[in-house]
Amino acid sequence: MLGRCAPGSPRSRPVVRALPPSASALRQRLRQCAERIPEAEAVLDLLDKCPEHQKKGGFPVIVFEGLDATGKTTVTQAVKDTLNGVLLRSPPPCISQWRTVFDDEPTPIKRAFYAAGNYILASEIAKASTQAPVIIDRYWHSTAAYTIATETSGKVQDLPPAQDEVYQWPEDLLKPDLVLLLTVDPEERVRRLQHRGLEKTKEEAELEANSLFRQRVEESYRRMVNPACQEVDASPSKEEVLKTVLQLIKKHCAF
């Protein structure tokens, strides 16, 4: 489980403190701040309505990860339409209204909020996957990758070592069948962001201003295991990227 540091990896300790290793741990953290943050109580209420052990249905569950402007919105919509599936996002709409509240909180509380979103989303995935393929725009790997990159300073080599347990999927969280990591050249990504002209999140501003932070995020994604990310170059045309993605889904997921 994420909460147990691999022996000899002190670099993972700040990450473990920042990222709740299980649903029970994040509940405890949210309860500690519920009196001060009413929204934390609301998140806890939603968590309490979720069954403890989520099991997915017979249809595949496919997650898309990647930095902003790597094409997740376009690709997830196209895959959803092609497979006649259900498209879900993390954090789910029922709590995304409170993102700005928790983004201004200390890291442990902020990460508890995003981790809670994954467990609430898992309940939606369990239901939806009994009816159709489920396509997800970000899930646990995003929560973990940004936490690891934020809690580690310096270069990629300063990250917790590969195989460290911080890169493991939580034992009590519903697991997807396939995780696809969309990547584009850094210059192309910045060009897309400028073209979109959207207001940047704090983390997006940090990605743009700090190339070391961006490198730590991307490398953290690549070190995730159980399940690992399958990397997809999202630089070509939308049609080519969709073709590559559908081939990977056909290869790794049984319909």
Side-chain angles (χ1 to χ4, degrees), residues 73-87 133 135 242 246:
T73 300
T74 301
V75 174
T76 52
Q77 185 63 51
V79 173
K80 179 249 183 189
D81 292 343
T82 303
L83 301 183
N84 195 25
V86 176
L87 178 58
I135 315 303
L242 177 60
L246 292 174

Side-chain angles (χ1 to χ4, degrees), residues 83-96:
L83 301 183
N84 195 25
V86 176
L87 178 58
L88 301 174
R89 291 184 173 86
S90 181
C94 60
I95 69 166
S96 58

Side-chain angles (χ1 to χ4, degrees), residues 23 26-34 38-50 98 116 120:
L26 69 89
R27 280 189 175 95
Q28 182 179 2
R29 194 170 294 177
L30 288 170
R31 285 192 192 100
Q32 290 171 351
C33 65
E39 293 84 356
E41 189 66 53
V43 174
L44 283 165
D45 287 343
L46 289 168
L47 270 174
D48 288 341
K49 294 174 183 176
C50 300
W98 302 317
I120 294 168

Side-chain angles (χ1 to χ4, degrees), residues 148-214:
I148 294 166
T150 301
E151 295 301 306
T152 307
S153 58
K155 300 179 180 179
V156 165
Q157 52 263 41
D158 297 311
L159 290 168
Q163 312 305 320
D164 193 286
E165 291 196 55
V166 297
Y167 302 112
Q168 287 275 353
W169 192 270
E171 293 176 356
D172 62 348
L173 181 64
L174 185 148
K175 195 179 297 185
D177 296 287
L178 179 64
V179 182
L180 299 174
L181 174 64
L182 302 183
T183 62
V184 296
D185 178 86
E187 288 77 15
E188 168 64 13
R189 197 182 69 82
V190 170
R191 187 190 66 76
R192 291 182 183 184
L193 280 169
Q194 292 170 342
H195 180 71
R196 279 162 41 169
L198 300 176
E199 185 179 348
K200 300 183 185 75
T201 63
K202 289 181 180 179
E203 285 176 335
E204 182 52 49
E206 178 74 2
L207 284 171
E208 192 170 328
N210 188 338
S211 63
L212 289 178
F213 178 65
R214 174 179 52 76

Side-chain angles (χ1 to χ4, degrees), residues 232-252:
V232 175
D233 180 7
S235 301
S237 68
K238 298 173 186 177
E239 294 76 17
E240 289 180 75
V241 175
L242 177 60
K243 182 180 178 181
T244 300
V245 164
L246 292 174
Q247 287 173 341
L248 285 167
I249 292 172
K250 184 178 180 180
K251 178 180 177 182
H252 293 279

